[in-house]
Amino acid sequence: MPSAPADPPVTSAESAANTGQAGPAVGGEVLHPDGVLHADGVTKQVDGAWLLHPTDLVAGPGECVVVRGPNGTGKTTLLRIVAGLLAPTSGTVTYRGRPVDDRDPATRAALAALVGAPTAYRDLTVTDHLVLVDATWGGDPASCDERAAATLESLEIGHLATRFPHELSSGQQQLFHLALFLQRPAQVLVLDEPEQRLDPHKRAILTELLSARIESGKTLVIATHDEELSDALADYVLELTAW
Amino acid sequence: MVTLSSDEARLGRVREVLARGGQRGSWHNVGYAVYVAALFGLVWGLPLAQQALRAADPGPWRAAAQGSSPVAVTAWSIGIVATLATLAWLGGRVRGPIAPDLSYIDLVVASPLDRLLTVRPWWRLTLFGSVVVGTILGLVLTGALAFLGLAGLGVLAAGALAGASAGVAVAWAWLLGQTSARGAGRSPVVAGRSGPSGHPLRRLTVPALHDQAITSRTIGGAALMGDLRGARLAAGGRPMTGRALRLRPARPFQVIVRRDVIGLRRNPIRLAAATLAMVLGSGLLCLRVGATSAPLWTSLLGALVGSAGLLGAAEGLRLQGDNTGTPALLGIPPRHEAIAHLALPALLYAGCVTLAGGALALAGLISPEALPWATAFGGIMLGQALIGAFRGLAPVPVFSPRMGIPALIGWAVAPGLFTWLALLVCIERARAAVQAVVGGAAAEPASASAAANAVVSLDAVTGALSLLGALTVGVLGWGFHRQQVQTDAHRG
């Protein structure tokens, strides 16, 4: 029987609001009494190894929490837990007081996550994917094509509409994934390094699109290494560091 | 100027260098493989073929052997060879017979040496191996017929010749499949070396050989790891056609069905193969259930081919299985999505039963009562598709040193075998029920035996229906359970 892992050292935690600056060390806590997305003391351990030390996170409508930190500090793990894709070893994540779990239809309806490559069908073109996503979320069939085209144009990839996913370059794949992600309705958007493989121009477009989502009242939780993206979006910064 | 003979000399020196690694020539391996195959055919193949023919009721075989004209036998043989060659051609598009190591491709095949010479050893090995295997198979099959007294010993020579010819045809189909794969066959033929006809070996390109080498390594590795999904994804073709087709918006369930329709339309080979298999399989099932004289093998083969066809049409379901563990993107619950993905294969299967069974019934070869039964067998086949799509990875204990490869093979085939057996049991019970009904209907209407027959018929039908219903629910339930497990597995 494996022995229980030692408790992690306790570190201080404080908020770092609207500055884009790094907060405290691991286990940073962002305080927001009116927040609707709560992660309370979530951890993840596998066979005694800590993937994520105790971490708190609170984010409300129209707010963006940027998660930062070196590789291996648990950013992706935290995002997967926050999105309900991964069960925490301890702690809880709730959205509007309801536990977050992607097996729960309410979670799936409220939270959209771009953590790793999303679902894609090798026999559908780029625009077919967007139509499929839109239609399964109950979008009006009469205007579905227009919405799909608008999403592609917003990322300046309208010319890729009839390509199959395997015909896209690495950066185009990322834009395609972002288009899929942005096509579905959601109240909370969880993104893991969405800027990867994008050129500066496309990063600027991405920043604009995400800013617009925040202004429309969506909640964003985003892990990024991009200073400009972080500065432009962050209401709070949660800095994770290695122990 | 580089000449053919100097190319041969240079290639010979290359081979000398390669041989310094201490590797034995491939011909030694082939010789050993031929020895083992011949031994296996003699010790196991011949007795097994005899037993199979006996078990499959030699009566019809004898009648067929005695009643068949040479033209009919030739037509059957050509049909079988054409089927094998088509399969080989399709296989060649994924992994052809010319399969050198990556280093050999990059360092030798990519060199200015004549490509015909650099890759010819693999082709010769393939041709030789195919001829030997075909000859052995021909000898085993005709030998079994001769030992059972269904044909004279003279048929052995014909069997060997036919087998060898089939081997040549299959080997060439395999090679042509490789040269017709995407990216292959487009390289310009080196000036002055096009030869008499631009041999297919010269049309092979380095990138295409490279792709196939990587694909075959990926498939092999995935298969060894019990990652059937990985192997399938590596082997599966990527659509490049049907770009002008558009997925039309609809309600969530309908749009999933439309997704599957468009997916199959973009893969016409898959669609044709699946439909053909379902027509053939369901026709055999109708024969077994609705024709008194249909031998047992129609049931065995019909269940196998019909299931394979339905699995081929369930690509959307497998793609859903491939995507489990990724964040939710579609606004339809996974269970509902799986049900929607079953709609198209179910409809296609029902259509194929109607087509094949209807034709047989119209021709008077089967009783029409067989059609609803054959349609109902589709329920178990849909369950098979669900289980197959959501298999996931092999469990860790399968890889323990004590269990080894047999455990992995057992894990891979067990669900298919179990559900196939369940299907066979249902087919045989349905056959008994239909025969009882047909027999009862043939009795004198007002007689006491007619009343007794009616009771027997009702019992047979009720029993068969109950069994079919229970097994269908069980297999579908197992499939949906696997879907749930796989959908939730990533939560860890």
Side-chain angles (χ1 to χ4, degrees):
Chain A
M1 185 176 171
S3 59
D7 289 337
V10 177
T11 59
S12 62
E14 60 186 50
S15 62
N18 291 323
T19 63
Q21 298 172 352
V26 174
E29 179 185 12
V30 180
L31 300 174
H32 192 292
D34 300 323
V36 293
L37 179 69
H38 291 257
D40 297 322
V42 290
T43 66
K44 187 66 185 177
Q45 290 173 271
V46 176
D47 293 335
W50 287 91
L51 301 188
L52 179 67
H53 292 286
T55 303
D56 299 336
L57 181 152
V58 184
E63 292 180 345
C64 174
V65 174
V66 171
V67 182
R68 297 190 349 186
N71 294 335
T73 49
K75 297 188 297 299
T76 300
T77 303
L78 174 62
L79 294 190
R80 291 185 66 81
I81 291 172
V82 165
L85 296 164
L86 189 66
T89 304
S90 63
T92 58
V93 181
T94 57
Y95 177 63
R96 288 182 174 161
R98 187 182 178 118
V100 168
D101 183 336
D102 85 327
R103 293 171 296 186
D104 179 0
T107 293
R108 289 200 300 271
L111 277 88
L114 184 60
V115 184
T119 300
Y121 297 96
R122 63 166 73 184
D123 53 10
L124 292 188
T125 62
V126 167
T127 196
D128 288 341
H129 275 90
L130 297 187
V131 169
L132 180 68
V133 171
D134 191 277
T136 57
W137 285 103
D140 178 14
S143 53
C144 186
D145 287 334
E146 286 76 18
R147 284 191 297 279
T151 302
L152 293 178
E153 287 307 324
S154 70
L155 288 161
E156 296 183 354
I157 53 171
H159 61 290
L160 303 178
T162 57
R163 290 215 196 157
F164 292 105
H166 58 265
E167 296 172 329
L168 303 175
S169 71
S170 164
Q172 288 170 338
Q173 288 267 3
Q174 179 66 4
L175 290 165
F176 166 55
H177 294 161
L178 284 165
L180 289 175
F181 173 76
L182 295 172
Q183 186 70 13
R184 57 151 293 182
Q187 294 304 310
V188 180
L189 309 179
V190 180
L191 299 103
D192 188 13
E193 300 182 21
E195 78 283 1
Q196 57 185 315
R197 304 192 296 278
L198 299 186
D199 61 43
H201 175 62
K202 289 294 194 297
R203 287 187 184 206
I205 290 175
L206 173 66
T207 306
E208 282 178 26
L209 288 171
L210 294 181
S211 296
R213 290 293 198 283
I214 297 167
E215 285 169 15
S216 68
K218 310 298 184 198
T219 301
L220 248 73
V221 180
I222 175 172
T224 182
H225 294 291
D226 187 294
E227 295 281 349
E228 289 183 20
L229 187 65
S230 177
D231 290 347
L233 299 177
D235 291 302
Y236 307 103
V237 173
L238 179 62
E239 185 81 21
L240 303 182
T241 55
W243 286 84
Chain B
M1 182 180 169
V2 180
T3 64
L4 193 67
S5 59
S6 68
D7 271 4
E8 283 179 334
R10 289 166 67 188
L11 191 59
R13 286 199 294 276
V14 169
R15 287 186 181 133
E16 282 176 21
V17 172
L18 292 175
R20 283 178 198 161
Q23 293 180 336
R24 299 184 67 191
S26 297
W27 284 100
H28 290 91
N29 298 334
V30 171
Y32 182 70
V34 167
Y35 165 72
V36 171
L39 208 59
F40 188 85
L42 193 66
V43 175
W44 289 100
L46 204 56
L48 280 174
Q50 287 181 59
Q51 287 303 321
L53 289 176
R54 279 201 186 100
D57 184 7
W61 294 102
R62 181 172 285 113
Q66 290 167 353
S68 296
S69 67
V71 175
V73 171
T74 307
W76 268 101
S77 305
I78 290 174
I80 292 170
V81 173
T83 305
L84 291 174
T86 304
L87 292 174
W89 184 83
L90 291 172
R93 290 172 63 82
V94 178
R95 202 277 195 187
I98 312 303
D101 291 339
L102 283 169
S103 54
Y104 187 87
I105 294 171
D106 290 339
L107 300 175
V108 182
V109 180
S111 73
L113 293 172
D114 185 1
R115 192 149 298 167
L116 174 71
L117 295 178
T118 56
V119 298
R120 193 167 58 187
W122 282 268
W123 170 235
R124 285 178 170 169
L125 285 171
T126 300
L127 198 57
F128 178 72
S130 296
V131 168
V132 168
V133 169
T135 306
I136 290 173
L137 278 177
L139 284 172
V140 165
L141 288 176
T142 49
L145 287 171
F147 274 103
L148 286 175
L150 302 178
L153 281 176
V155 80
L156 286 171
L161 186 63
S165 305
V168 172
V170 167
W172 271 101
W174 195 16
L175 176 64
L176 293 176
Q178 185 171 20
T179 58
S180 69
R182 190 172 302 130
R186 290 184 186 165
S187 66
V189 175
V190 178
R193 295 192 186 168
S194 57
S197 59
H199 195 283
L201 293 176
R202 286 198 176 98
R203 296 207 299 268
L204 290 167
T205 64
V206 167
L209 287 170
H210 218 269
D211 285 350
Q212 287 212 344
I214 291 172
T215 300
S216 57
R217 277 192 177 195
T218 307
I219 293 172
L224 278 176
M225 291 299 293
D227 181 7
L228 301 181
R229 169 194 168 192
R232 196 182 71 79
L233 286 177
R238 292 170 167 177
M240 301 287 281
T241 57
R243 205 180 295 275
L245 298 170
R246 292 288 303 276
L247 179 63
R248 308 311 312 172
R251 309 307 305 165
F253 187 93
Q254 292 166 316
V255 84
I256 296 288
V257 178
R258 287 185 182 180
R259 193 229 75 81
D260 292 348
V261 171
I262 210 170
L264 277 184
R265 288 181 67 191
R266 283 179 175 148
N267 200 334
I269 291 178
R270 172 183 291 279
L271 176 61
T275 306
L276 187 66
M278 280 191 282
V279 167
L280 185 64
S282 60
L284 289 171
L285 293 183
C286 286
L287 265 178
R288 179 62 181 169
V289 174
T292 329
S293 60
L296 180 63
W297 66 263
T298 54
S299 179
L300 305 174
L301 194 63
L304 204 62
V305 176
S307 298
L310 191 138
L311 285 172
E315 178 68 2
L317 191 68
R318 278 199 298 274
L319 287 172
Q320 183 192 352
D322 294 344
N323 286 323
T324 54
T326 57
L329 198 61
L330 303 184
I332 183 170
R335 172 66 54 87
H336 294 183
E337 186 186 349
I339 293 170
H341 281 308
L342 290 175
L344 179 64
L347 284 172
L348 275 176
Y349 177 75
C352 290
V353 173
T354 308
L355 184 71
L360 289 170
L362 284 175
L365 295 173
I366 63 166
S367 164
E369 283 85 353
L371 264 74
W373 286 103
T375 308
F377 298 149
I380 291 180
M381 296 182 190
L382 291 173
Q384 288 178 323
L386 267 173
I387 295 166
F390 295 98
R391 285 299 303 277
L393 295 171
V396 173
V398 165
F399 297 103
S400 71
R402 294 175 113 187
M403 302 184 83
I405 296 293
L408 185 60
I409 294 171
W411 171 83
V413 303
L417 189 62
F418 175 80
T419 51
W420 183 61
L421 289 173
L423 191 53
L424 288 180
V425 171
C426 291
I427 293 165
E428 293 309 304
R429 288 295 295 269
R431 173 182 164 85
V434 168
Q435 302 305 330
V437 169
V438 172
E444 191 68 32
S447 66
S449 66
N453 281 341
V455 172
V456 171
S457 302
L458 187 63
D459 283 350
V461 170
T462 307
L465 268 180
S466 304
L467 183 70
L468 178 59
L471 286 175
T472 302
V473 168
V475 174
L476 280 171
W478 183 9
F480 281 118
H481 169 70
R482 287 302 313 161
Q483 177 264 318
Q484 194 66 53
V485 168
Q486 280 302 111
T487 303
D488 297 341
H490 63 279
R491 275 187 60 80

